[in-house]
Amino acid sequence: MMTLKIALRNIFRHKARSVITLSTIVFGCVALIFIGGYFEDIFTQLRESYIRSQVGHIQIFKKGFNENGKADPYLYFLEDDQQIKAEIQAFPEVKSIAARLNFSGLISTGETTIVFLGQGLEPQYEQTVPQQETRDLRAFKKTSKSGSPVISFGQGLVEEDQRQVILGQGLAQTMGAQIGSTITLLTNTVYGSTNAMDMNVKGVFYTSAKDYDEMFLRLPLKTAQKLLNTSSVGSWVVWLNKTEDTDKVYNSLRAMIKQKNLNLELRRWEDLADFYNKTVAMFNKFYLIMRIVTGIIVVLGIFNTLNMAVMERISEIGTLMALGVRRSGVMKLFLLEGLVLGTVGGLLGVVAGMIVVSLVSSVGITMPPPPGASISWLSTPKIIPSVVTSTFVLSVVVGGFSALFPAYKASRLQITTALRYR
Amino acid sequence: MSLVQISKVSRKYQLNSISVTALKNVDLAVAAGEFLALAGPSGSGKTTLLNIMGCIDKPTTGEVLFDNTQTASLSSDQLSDLRAEKISFVFQNFNLFPVLTAVENVEYALFLKKMTADQRRKKAEAALDLMGLLHLAGHKPLEMSGGQQQRVAIARAIVREPLLILADEPTANLDHKTGEEIVDLMKASNRQNKTTFIFSTHDQKVIDRADRVVRIWDGEIVSA
Ligand SMILES: Nc1ncnc2c1ncn2[C@@H]1O[C@H](COP(=O)(O)OP(=O)(O)O)[C@@H](O)[C@H]1O
Ligand SMILES: [Mg+2]
C-alpha cells in the first residue's frame, strides 16, 4: 500500500513530464483502438457485401460439383427439391434459400456479340438496391440490403418477370445496350443442342466487384431453365439472418445431409471468399506492425521518464537502502511506477479511444471503392471489446517492461555512492 | 561488551589510476548506550568510518563486528535486514522523501516491520510529538525549515527503536542554535532509551555535548 502510494505520488511529482508520458500512452491506445475498430468495420462490410451480392452464407451443390463440375457442369445439376428447400427454410437462423443456375453463352445485340456468364435466379429472394437509395450512404448502410447489387439504370428483376434481363454495368457498356432494348442470348442446352432467346434489357447493376460486373447478367431462374432445357438448378444459396451463425447452420446441414443420405455438398462463404480472406490476413499484418510500433514508442516514452526519475532520485534510493530496503524492494518500487503509468495511461487511453471511435462513427468516413470495386462506401468504426482489452493489457505490460532496465539500474546502485550523490 | 567493534579497518577508494586511502588501520569499539562524537576536519574520513560502522559500506581490509555478528560474510539482503532491524541514519541533508508528509516519512521507517497500519501511524505520531512537531504531521518536507526537517529525520530514526543511530554531520546545514537543539534532542533520546548515538561533526559546540569524543585525522584515529 505504502509502495503504491509512493509510486503514485512520484509519478505526479513532475506533472508536465507525466502528462507527456501519459499522453504518449493515451495516443497509442487511441490509435490502436481506432484502427482496430476501423479495420473490423472494413472486414465486416467487405464480408457482408460479398455474401449479399454474390455467394450467400452457404451454398449447396450436388456432390462432386466443386471438384468435377468445371469440366461438365450439366452433369452436376441439382434437382430443385422443394421439400428439402422448405426444411432448410424452416431453420430459425435461415433468412431465405433460393436456387441459382449459372451458365455461360454468347450475348448479342445484332452488332456486338460477346461471351457472358448468366445467373438464373429467383428475384424475390435476391435483393437489389435502387440507385436513389445509395445517395445517402448512412441510410444505405443501415438497410440490410447494403452489399446487394445496386441498380444503376432501369429497374431490378421481380418475381413475375420472364423475358427480362439485367446486365452488369461493364457488360452493358461493352454491349452498348440500352434500357428497353432487345438482346439475344445464345447457349447450349443440357442435351447439347443450341438454343437462343430474345430478352428485354430491364436494368443495369453494379456490385462491389468490378470483374463480376463485366461478365455477369441476371435473369429469372425459370427463363434460364427454359434456355438450358432443364428442370434442375446449379445450386441453392442460403442466406442467414446473422453471419455469425454460419458454422452452426453449416453443421446442422451436414448432419441433415448425412442423416437423410442426400447426395449434396456444402460450401461456406469463407470457403469461397478468397479475396476476403487474403485482405483480412493482410490488414491483420498491418495491425500487428502498428501494435509493435506503438508498443516501441510507448516503451521509449516510459523508459525515458523512469530513467530520468532514477537519475533524479539517486540519493533517495541510497536513503531507502540505508533504511534497510533490499535491492529487490528498490526494483519493485520502480517496476510499480512503470506498471502504474501503464495502467493509468491504459485506462485513460481506452476511454479516450472509445470516445474517439464513437465520435468518428457518428460522422462516418466515406471510403473510396476497394480495389476491383465500383461503389464508394461509408465506414463507421466499431468499438471492439477484444481490441479494447488487448490494448489495455498491452499498455500495462509495456509499462512494466519499460521499467525493467531503470528499475534494475536503481537496484544496483552502491549505497554510499548514491548517498554522496547531489 | 561493544555494540560495534572494528579492528584494523582500512578503506581504499580507487578512482581510475589514483588510489585514495580514506581509513588507515583503524581500531574502534563503541559500547551500547554511548553518545559519541566523531570529530575531524573535512576529508578526514568521518563519513567513510560511519558508513562502515552502519554496514552500508565494507572495509577493504579489517573486520567489523556488529552486535556480535561478523558482517563481512553477510549477503546484501542480510545486511539490509540487519540495518532495518538495528540501525538508523540521520543525514546532513535530512534526506526525507519529498513526496511524503512528515508523518508518512516517519511511518515509512516502520514499513519493513510487521505491524498494522494503525500501529505504525500511532508510533509515528508519538515520535513526531516527542520532537514537538505533531502540528506539522501533514506537511511535506519542502514546506518545513531545515531544523524542522532534521527533527522529522530524528523521529524517523528513533521510531524504529534501533540499537544504533548514526548521524553524519547532522547540524552542518543548520544554524548554531538549531544545531544545538538537534543535538539536545538526540541526547534526550540517548538518555531515555539507551540508544547508542554516533555522530560526526567539526563544530566545537556540538563536540562539547558528547560523552566521548573520537578524533580522526587523515584516516587515522588520533585520540579516542
Ligand atoms: N566514493 C569515493 N570515491 C573516491 N574518494 C572518496 C570517496 N569517498 C570519499 N573519498 C575520499 O576519501 C577521503 C575521506 O572522505 P570522507 O570519509 O567523506 O571524509 P569526511 O566525511 O571526513 O569529509 C577524502 O579524501 C575523499 O575525497
Ligand atoms: Mg563527510
Side-chain angles (χ1 to χ4, degrees):
Chain A
M1 251 346 272
M2 193 85 180
T3 324
L4 184 61
K5 182 153 76 181
I6 294 178
L8 274 169
R9 297 231 187 120
N10 274 319
I11 285 171
F12 292 102
R13 184 155 157 190
H14 296 282
K15 295 218 172 54
R17 189 196 297 164
S18 300
V19 165
I20 290 169
T21 315
L22 288 174
S23 305
T24 314
I25 306 174
V26 168
F27 190 80
C29 290
V30 169
L32 287 181
I33 289 174
F34 175 74
I35 301 289
Y38 183 39
F39 282 6
E40 186 66 28
D41 185 60
I42 292 176
F43 296 164
T44 311
Q45 295 209 43
L46 200 61
R47 182 185 78 200
E48 291 305 312
S49 114
Y50 190 61
I51 291 170
R52 303 280 161 208
S53 68
Q54 296 183 41
V55 294
H57 288 99
I58 297 172
Q59 294 200 16
I60 304 171
F61 303 94
K62 186 164 181 175
K63 197 177 231 132
F65 176 91
N66 289 285
E67 217 176 313
N68 310 313
K70 288 244 160 56
D72 197 353
Y74 297 165
L75 267 183
Y76 292 93
F77 274 2
L78 182 68
E79 192 199 332
D80 199 14
D81 186 328
Q82 298 305 326
Q83 203 182 327
I84 296 176
K85 267 167 86 178
E87 265 178 61
I88 294 172
Q89 175 73 69
F91 279 53
E93 296 88 358
V94 170
K95 188 174 168 210
S96 54
I97 174 167
R100 278 186 185 172
L101 180 54
N102 285 7
F103 62 100
S104 60
L106 294 172
I107 177 173
S108 172
T109 52
E111 285 159 19
T112 325
T113 303
I114 56 170
V115 174
F116 72 90
L117 293 173
Q119 205 161 48
L121 41 78
E122 300 176 275
Q124 65 270 37
Y125 299 117
E126 309 246 6
Q127 290 170 323
T128 47
V129 183
Q131 170 78 14
Q132 60 271 21
E133 276 187 30
T134 65
R135 299 262 161 71
D136 180 356
L137 281 179
R138 174 156 288 280
F140 176 48
K141 197 186 165 184
K142 280 214 190 80
T143 66
S144 61
K145 292 184 213 162
S146 95
S148 302
V150 177
I151 300 298
S152 48
F153 299 102
Q155 268 148 19
L157 296 174
V158 294
E159 200 174 351
E160 299 77 34
D161 285 334
Q162 285 183 2
R163 290 297 184 97
Q164 272 75 16
V165 65
I166 58 174
L167 306 178
Q169 192 156 280
L171 183 61
Q173 264 159 18
T174 322
M175 296 294 299
Q178 305 289 320
I179 305 296
S181 65
T182 302
I183 48 119
T184 308
L185 299 183
L186 194 75
T187 186
N188 288 332
T189 67
V190 291
Y191 304 110
S193 56
T194 306
N195 197 2
M197 210 177 260
D198 283 341
M199 305 283 292
N200 195 293
V201 178
K202 190 179 183 192
V204 173
F205 68 90
Y206 63 85
T207 66
S208 57
K210 215 169 186 166
D211 6 342
Y212 181 87
D213 303 344
E214 276 166 4
M215 301 282 275
F216 271 84
L217 57 82
R218 293 182 153 199
L219 68 166
L221 177 70
K222 292 246 152 48
T223 313
Q225 285 175 323
K226 222 174 270 171
L227 203 52
L228 298 187
N229 196 5
T230 180
S231 60
S232 301
V233 299
S235 61
W236 289 328
V237 183
V238 179
W239 287 276
L240 307 178
N241 294 313
K242 285 194 231 118
T243 303
E244 296 81 71
D245 289 334
T246 305
D247 282 341
K248 189 178 164 205
V249 175
Y250 177 75
N251 290 330
S252 312
L253 287 176
R254 278 221 325 207
M256 178 177 143
I257 289 170
K258 201 159 177 207
Q259 192 212 334
K260 302 200 169 193
N261 202 15
L262 300 171
N263 194 25
L264 299 175
E265 69 182 24
L266 302 173
R267 283 289 181 279
R268 284 165 298 184
W269 63 269
E270 67 246 53
D271 303 328
L272 303 163
D274 196 39
F275 177 70
Y276 170 81
N277 292 333
K278 283 189 177 138
T279 310
V280 169
M282 181 178 79
F283 275 53
N284 279 339
K285 196 146 271 175
F286 281 161
Y287 194 59
L288 177 69
I289 291 170
M290 254 203 65
R291 272 195 173 171
I292 294 171
V293 170
T294 314
I296 291 172
I297 292 172
V298 172
V299 165
L300 292 177
I302 300 182
F303 174 85
N304 183 46
T305 301
L306 289 179
N307 214 29
M308 276 159 91
V310 170
M311 293 308 289
E312 283 164 2
R313 278 150 59 189
I314 284 183
S315 82
E316 252 177 70
I317 295 164
T319 311
L320 281 172
M321 291 185 180
L323 275 175
V325 175
R326 291 180 177 193
R327 294 194 181 278
S328 56
V330 172
M331 182 127 179
K332 267 184 218 149
L333 187 69
F334 282 93
L335 278 182
L336 192 66
E337 283 186 32
L339 285 173
V340 168
L341 271 175
T343 309
V344 173
L347 279 176
L348 293 174
V350 159
V351 171
M354 292 197 286
I355 292 173
V356 167
V357 169
S358 317
L359 285 179
V360 171
S361 194
S362 69
V363 180
I365 308 168
T366 308
M367 298 291 293
S374 42
I375 319 177
S376 43
W377 50 285
L378 190 74
S379 173
T380 52
K382 303 269 174 333
I383 294 171
I384 313 294
S386 67
V387 169
V388 171
T389 21
S390 68
T391 303
F392 177 70
V393 170
L394 182 73
S395 171
V396 176
V397 170
V398 158
F401 176 79
S402 330
L404 276 179
F405 180 72
Y408 177 78
K409 201 168 86 173
S411 75
R412 291 295 112 183
L413 285 171
Q414 272 246 300
I415 310 177
T416 51
T417 325
L419 283 171
R420 199 176 276 270
Y421 192 87
R422 276 292 89 86
Chain B
M1 203 192 55
S2 329
L3 175 62
V4 205
Q5 179 161 17
I6 66 172
S7 340
K8 297 196 169 50
V9 158
S10 294
R11 177 66 166 100
K12 286 199 181 93
Y13 293 110
Q14 195 71 40
L15 266 181
N16 301 323
S17 56
I18 313 157
S19 153
V20 181
T21 306
L23 291 178
K24 294 166 199 159
N25 235 2
V26 172
D27 291 306
L28 181 65
V30 180
E34 282 202 68
F35 192 69
L36 186 152
L38 197 56
S42 179
S44 57
K46 303 184 294 297
T47 300
T48 307
L49 183 55
L50 285 178
N51 287 347
I52 286 173
M53 288 194 288
C55 304
I56 54 175
D57 194 12
K58 286 189 171 176
T60 314
T61 57
E63 281 183 356
V64 181
L65 199 64
F66 186 93
D67 196 26
N68 289 323
T69 309
Q70 284 284 356
T71 60
S73 59
L74 298 183
S75 71
S76 155
D77 281 354
Q78 286 171 321
L79 287 171
S80 294
D81 296 349
L82 174 111
R83 291 195 299 274
E85 206 187 329
K86 299 178 178 170
I87 307 173
S88 287
F89 293 85
V90 173
F91 303 95
Q92 179 177 341
N93 295 306
F94 327 131
N95 290 23
L96 297 175
F97 298 112
V99 296
L100 298 182
T101 63
V103 70
E104 285 166 347
N105 262 287
V106 180
E107 270 178 59
Y108 193 78
L110 299 173
F111 175 56
L112 299 159
K113 307 232 171 190
K114 278 202 183 71
M115 54 178 81
T116 66
D118 218 40
Q119 287 170 314
R120 266 191 211 118
R121 177 57 55 112
K122 287 223 168 72
K123 268 177 139 341
E125 283 173 349
L128 273 183
D129 200 17
L130 215 58
M131 296 295 121
L133 281 184
L134 198 53
H135 62 292
L136 293 180
H139 286 240
K140 297 257 173 81
L142 288 176
E143 301 159 5
M144 291 187 270
S145 71
Q148 288 168 338
Q149 286 188 55
Q150 197 61 303
R151 281 192 277 164
V152 175
I154 292 171
R156 174 172 75 178
I158 62 172
V159 77
R160 312 212 286 186
E161 296 163 14
L163 298 179
L164 174 64
I165 294 178
L166 294 159
D168 193 6
E169 312 214 25
T171 63
N173 280 356
L174 304 171
D175 60 68
H176 283 285
K177 191 172 150 286
T178 315
E180 283 154 30
E181 280 169 22
I182 291 293
V183 181
D184 289 341
L185 282 168
M186 299 200 305
K187 196 161 184 172
S189 167
N190 166 262
R191 295 292 187 263
Q192 208 152 35
N193 311 314
K194 306 279 174 291
T195 311
T196 312
F197 275 83
I198 307 175
F199 53 95
S200 68
T201 184
H202 46 247
D203 180 341
Q204 192 54 47
K205 281 242 174 76
V206 173
I207 294 171
D208 290 343
R209 283 173 152 78
D211 295 338
R212 176 182 163 204
V213 180
V214 171
R215 292 195 185 271
I216 182 167
W217 185 274
D218 232 359
E220 288 177 290
I221 289 180
V222 288
S223 83

